[in-house]
Amino acid sequence: SKKYLVSSLHQSLKRLQLDYVDIFYSHRFDPNTPLEETMGALDLIVRQGKALYAGISNYDGANTCEAAHIMEQLGTPLTIHQPKYSMFHRPIEKDLLHHTARHGIGVIAFSPLAQGLLSDKYLNGIPADSRAGKAATSRLQEQITPAVVTKLQKLNAIASARGQSLAQLALRWALRDERMTSLVIGASRVEQIEDNVAALRGPALSSEELTAIEEILAG
């Protein structure tokens, strides 16, 4: 709701000790609140100078189109959409990307490494000191089946042949589509950021590599 979004931003600005943020997102579509109210709140926040740009996250294609239309009428276009996307989670390819392209909305995907699954941590199963290993039960733990480990090993072989880590391959793959503006990476150390950024130094993925990756993911 308008009250919730405005209050949420005010609290965030107070905690951050800032006058404004670069982007303020409506992070999830609320079926119980008219989109006109939610988008109206984003428009108000931008016009008040408390955010430079407005964005949405986790909206499906239909609601993205409606939200974009409302914002265009208000005169504060949506700048960015933040969906979940990785080799192992690809629904936006069919439902979202052609809509964001049509409306001129950038896309900055989160979880491109599938919560660390697309790294070298799980190439031989679940280490005890990993995120999945520390939890008695977790969704990530449930995903790491023998079949998935086999896929990770095959993908890692492609990465190694390119002189890259599996994480770097996964990031380069996620950026292969020109409609993908950028990626949100989770890092706890500077070295992780440097390693992720290094994914851009390698050559673009060839058609043969893309075909091989598709075959692995479909297997």
Side-chain angles (χ1 to χ4, degrees):
S1 66
K2 185 175 184 178
K3 179 179 179 180
Y4 176 84
L5 288 175
V6 172
S7 174
S8 173
L9 178 57
H10 285 170
Q11 292 172 26
S12 294
L13 292 175
K14 184 177 180 180
R15 287 194 300 270
L16 294 167
Q17 297 182 0
L18 295 174
D19 295 324
Y20 66 90
V21 294
D22 291 332
I23 304 175
F24 188 68
Y25 289 94
S26 168
H27 270 290
R28 196 176 303 278
F29 172 74
D30 178 12
N32 298 315
T33 303
L35 260 180
E36 288 81 2
E37 180 175 348
T38 303
M39 295 303 108
L42 294 182
D43 173 68
L44 173 66
I45 286 166
V46 172
R47 291 184 184 279
Q48 288 179 337
K50 294 174 182 176
L52 299 182
Y53 304 101
I56 56 177
S57 178
N58 296 303
Y59 278 53
D60 64 18
N63 288 316
T64 294
C65 288
E66 186 176 353
H69 179 66
I70 294 170
M71 292 297 277
E72 287 165 4
Q73 290 184 317
L74 292 172
T76 303
L78 289 174
T79 301
I80 203 81
H81 191 302
Q82 189 183 100
K84 185 177 182 180
Y85 184 59
S86 72
M87 286 180 169
F88 291 157
H89 187 82
R90 304 172 61 177
I92 68 169
E93 293 177 358
K94 295 181 178 179
D95 179 59
L96 182 68
L97 290 179
H98 58 289
H99 294 305
T100 53
R102 183 160 55 89
H103 287 281
I105 301 172
V107 180
I108 179 168
F110 71 91
S111 197
L113 298 182
Q115 294 183 289
L117 183 58
L118 288 162
S119 69
D120 58 5
K121 293 179 183 177
Y122 304 105
L123 291 174
N124 297 302
I126 305 176
D129 61 348
S130 66
R131 179 187 298 183
K134 291 177 181 177
T137 57
S138 68
R139 289 185 180 180
L140 181 58
Q141 191 178 87
E142 293 170 357
Q143 292 177 45
I144 307 173
T145 63
V148 168
V149 171
T150 297
K151 289 183 180 182
L152 293 175
Q153 292 171 346
K154 291 180 178 178
L155 291 169
N156 188 57
I158 294 177
S160 296
R162 289 171 51 85
Q164 293 184 312
S165 66
L166 176 55
Q168 289 171 337
L169 175 68
L171 295 174
R172 193 60 190 254
W173 178 90
L175 289 169
R176 75 197 186 288
D177 192 315
E178 63 181 10
R179 296 171 295 183
M180 188 65 64
T181 309
S182 188
L183 302 172
V184 177
I185 55 173
S188 57
R189 302 188 310 274
V190 173
E191 293 79 12
Q192 290 176 323
I193 298 175
E194 292 174 341
D195 183 64
N196 288 340
V197 172
L200 300 176
R201 294 176 189 162
L205 289 162
S206 67
S207 58
E208 291 80 9
E209 288 171 325
L210 289 171
T211 298
I213 291 170
E214 289 296 333
E215 290 175 351
I216 293 170
L217 296 177

